Amino acid sequence: MHSRSQSISFCDRSAEIFAYLEGDLEPSEEASLDLHFNECAACREELNGQKSFVNFLGSELTREDEI
C-alpha cells in the first residue's frame, strides 16, 4: 500500500506529456491530462521541463551560428 505522498512524487507520464506538447492527443485525452496537471506536481514539473527543452532546441535551431 502506497502513501499519498509516494504516489504524488512519482508519476511517469512522460510519453503522454510529449504527445500533449506535440498536439498528438485526442481532445478528450488532452482535457484529461489538463485536469491531471492541476493535481499532479510531478507532471507539472515534467511538462515545464519538456517545454523548456523544446523552447531551447527551437532557439538553437534558428540560430545561424555553426554547430
Side-chain angles (χ1 to χ4, degrees):
M1 185 171 181
H2 291 255
S3 73
R4 181 169 169 82
S5 63
Q6 286 177 329
S7 64
I8 291 174
S9 65
F10 180 76
C11 187
D12 187 17
R13 289 188 148 180
S14 295
E16 286 178 81
I17 293 170
F18 180 76
Y20 177 89
L21 290 172
E22 291 291 307
D24 291 340
L25 296 179
E26 295 294 323
S28 62
E29 294 170 315
E30 188 175 315
S32 176
L33 202 51
D34 281 333
L35 291 173
H36 181 74
F37 291 141
N38 288 330
E39 297 185 7
C40 183
C43 285
R44 282 194 309 270
E45 186 175 322
E46 177 70 21
L47 174 66
N48 290 328
Q50 285 194 31
K51 280 183 183 178
S52 294
F53 182 69
V54 168
N55 289 335
F56 170 77
L57 284 180
S59 68
E60 288 298 305
L61 293 174
T62 59
R63 289 179 42 179
E64 295 191 21
D65 299 342
E66 288 188 32
I67 297 177

